[in-house]
Amino acid sequence: MKINNLGPSGINPYKNQMKQQQAAKANQAKSDQVEISSKAKELQERSQFAEARQEKIAKLKVSVENGTYQVDSKAVANKMIDFYFNK
């Protein structure tokens, strides 16, 4: 009659490996995807505001690079107040 078991009886060495694999699968980050339909892309390209917006952005980039861009602090403050007080 055995009182003390010697050796790894009752232990499945593959169980630890399976647990590690399951933990690794659970830790993998799931990523979100966004798909824009071809119709939406077409509408965006045809937008009449796209050209004007690109011109404005180009002008802003030039003025920032030259150091001539001035921020209207009063306008920024008014917009912040409007935003925080839901106006």
Side-chain angles (χ1 to χ4, degrees):
M1 178 168 149
K2 287 187 178 179
I3 296 175
N4 295 327
N5 286 335
L6 297 176
S9 64
I11 296 175
N12 187 349
Y14 299 105
K15 194 178 262 189
N16 289 337
Q17 184 179 0
M18 291 183 67
K19 285 182 183 178
Q20 289 174 354
Q21 289 175 353
Q22 289 174 351
K25 285 182 184 178
N27 289 340
Q28 289 178 345
K30 295 181 181 179
S31 63
D32 293 335
Q33 282 187 315
V34 175
E35 293 183 22
I36 300 174
S37 68
S38 59
K39 182 72 173 178
K41 289 179 184 177
E42 182 181 327
L43 289 172
Q44 185 179 15
E45 289 174 0
R46 280 199 231 168
S47 174
Q48 59 183 327
F49 301 110
E51 291 177 18
R53 184 179 184 128
Q54 291 299 325
E55 290 174 13
K56 185 175 182 179
I57 290 171
K59 288 178 185 177
L60 285 172
K61 282 183 180 181
V62 169
S63 64
V64 168
E65 288 174 357
N66 293 337
T68 59
Y69 180 72
Q70 297 293 322
V71 177
D72 186 7
S73 58
K74 288 185 179 182
V76 172
N78 287 332
K79 291 289 184 177
M80 289 174 67
I81 290 170
D82 291 345
F83 175 78
Y84 285 110
F85 293 109
N86 295 324
K87 291 184 180 180

